[in-house]
Amino acid sequence: MNLPIDLAHEFRQVQERVSRKQASAWFHEQRERILQLAEYHPERGAERLAGLLAAAGRRVPRYRALRGRDDLVLDDFPLTRKADLQAHFIDFVSRDDTGRMEPGRFFLTRSSGSTGQPVVLLSTAETGGLALVVVRERLSAHLGLAEANGTVLNVGLLFDKTPLFEPVMLPRPHVKCNLGGFDPDAPGIVADYEAVVGRFPVDQITGSASRIISLARYCLERGIVLRPRGVIATYEQMPDSGRRFVEDVFDCPVTMLYATSETGYAAFECRERQMHFQDDFVLPEIVPAPGRDVADIVLTSLLSTAMPVIRYVTGDLAPAPTTCGCGLPGTVTKGLIGRARVSLLGAEGASYSPYALLAALAASGIPDFQLVQDEPGLVDLHTPGSSPSEARAVQDIDTRLGERFGPGEGFRLRHRIGAPFVLTAGGKRNPVVQRLDLPDGPERTRYIRA
């Protein structure tokens, strides 16, 4: 390891924290529980679904029309969309006849707004992260990743003040290095990359597809050799050309992991590059639409008992279910449709990641929006309406963009109130509609804070 002295000290401290925790009774109990649940048993999914539907019918005000009915099945429940979760949050919370919620330690999560519709969800500490770590354990075992004491290079979407080195215990103990996307115009990010990338062995690389491609380009241009056991891409679809490039640079396969903020990890690719849904934790309905070659992905989270997410319309599309001879279980499709890489184009021709702007819009309290770009340097913000507070929020964000970018650089917002949302031919509403050709090269990422 050849880290600078201060970072090397920080890295060792995090490793020591992982080692100490790994020796604890808590860790061994949790690890044993995960290993037991990681064994796929189809009957578990059926049992969880029956229990979830019965509890929702009895305890969730949103489904009071179903109260008193026996033997509820999935089709008895209406489809749930983001707008439903936004407008009826209280009615989705499970409670008994006295108004009390189920026992447990509760926490709220808020989606980043990367869909253009940020949503607040309620979960319990007991079950909120259980499906996530179990699905991740299955993927780790499938890829043959390190059992313990590994290192993960994370170039995904980061919250402000995320530490550079972070101890992660479950499902497998490791040190996570949080770099985010490479941005040549951000001195702090450039310094972190120079100090970290190539300075220690990496067992796994994870993050958004476009940022993984950018990392591979960074390493290739500088002659840096990384040999991870696996590369896990999420958030957006990995294009075939990008997959080939990343696999050539890192000499290992790329695996797509599919997740939504509302239902968690739902599916991952097998070695045949087909997507296997984890039906015993997240039950999929792949619903064909008349006259279309694709189907809507509708998910039910089987552990979301505090605030059941039943028949959630993700907005993502997939081919019809198929079969696979790889040996992995679960409902299978040939992949996802409609999660392509999208950037925003600055006036000077540079690419900007949309996630910083999407997060700022979500944090400002604007509930529903879409970004549309038809010319460099200008991004249209479509909203169905505008309250005085929303108008002020948009003006504030646009002012901050103007203060950040110099003349002839970056982009500004144009608020188009009441402008219709743009849908794909398949009926999907993407958060960003980019009608311009994008250049190759890294995105600018941290141009605005949420």
Side-chain angles (χ1 to χ4, degrees), residues 26-225:
W26 169 87
F27 171 76
H28 289 290
E29 291 171 0
Q30 294 296 317
R31 180 68 181 155
E32 183 60 31
R33 185 184 186 198
I34 290 168
L35 290 176
Q36 290 175 356
L37 292 172
E39 296 180 13
Y40 186 90
H41 297 290
E43 65 274 10
R44 280 182 179 164
E47 291 170 1
R48 289 173 182 143
L49 178 63
L52 177 75
L53 299 183
R58 291 194 312 269
R59 298 176 59 96
V60 178
R62 179 71 173 171
Y63 303 121
R64 57 171 54 93
L66 301 176
R67 198 158 293 176
R69 292 181 52 182
D70 296 326
D71 300 325
L72 289 170
V73 296
L74 198 56
D75 285 344
D76 292 327
F77 289 77
L79 296 174
T80 299
R81 293 176 168 82
K82 287 184 190 292
D84 299 319
L85 295 173
Q86 288 173 308
H88 305 287
F89 170 84
I90 294 298
D91 287 339
F92 277 99
V93 176
S94 177
R95 65 195 70 197
D96 63 21
D97 292 337
T98 68
R100 292 185 178 183
M101 294 190 297
E102 65 179 67
R105 296 169 294 155
F106 296 94
F107 63 90
L108 292 173
T109 58
R110 179 184 174 91
S111 65
S112 67
S114 63
T115 60
Q117 293 176 285
V119 172
V120 176
L121 299 167
L122 179 74
S123 189
T124 65
E126 288 76 15
T127 63
L130 184 59
L132 298 181
V133 294
V134 172
V135 174
R136 198 80 191 205
E137 168 62 24
R138 289 175 177 175
L139 179 53
S140 297
H142 174 62
L143 297 178
L145 300 179
E147 288 280 352
N149 302 322
T151 53
V152 173
L153 204 56
N154 173 33
V155 292
L157 311 182
L158 303 182
F159 297 103
D160 288 344
K161 299 180 181 178
T162 300
L164 181 60
F165 297 123
E166 180 182 7
V168 179
M169 296 307 302
L170 302 174
R172 301 181 178 200
H174 63 269
V175 175
K176 183 163 65 171
C177 179
N178 298 303
L179 284 177
F182 180 68
D183 186 340
D185 291 337
I189 297 176
V190 171
D192 284 345
Y193 267 71
E194 290 177 348
V196 168
V197 178
R199 302 296 188 99
F200 59 85
V202 172
D203 296 285
Q204 180 191 144
I205 294 172
T206 186
S208 65
S210 58
R211 294 183 177 186
I212 290 173
I213 294 170
S214 181
L215 173 66
R217 185 179 295 112
Y218 177 93
C219 292
L220 184 64
E221 290 173 350
R222 291 159 180 79
I224 297 172
V225 177

Side-chain angles (χ1 to χ4, degrees), residues 210-264:
S210 58
R211 294 183 177 186
I212 290 173
I213 294 170
S214 181
L215 173 66
R217 185 179 295 112
Y218 177 93
C219 292
L220 184 64
E221 290 173 350
R222 291 159 180 79
I224 297 172
V225 177
L226 295 181
R227 290 293 177 260
R229 299 188 188 187
V231 175
I232 300 173
T234 186
Y235 300 110
E236 57 197 3
Q237 192 73 5
M238 176 70 80
D240 288 343
S241 59
R243 184 191 294 265
R244 289 192 297 269
F245 175 66
V246 171
E247 290 180 341
D248 287 344
V249 171
F250 295 134
D251 193 28
C252 71
V254 172
T255 301
M256 286 296 305
L257 172 63
Y258 173 58
T260 73
S261 297
E262 294 74 18
T263 60

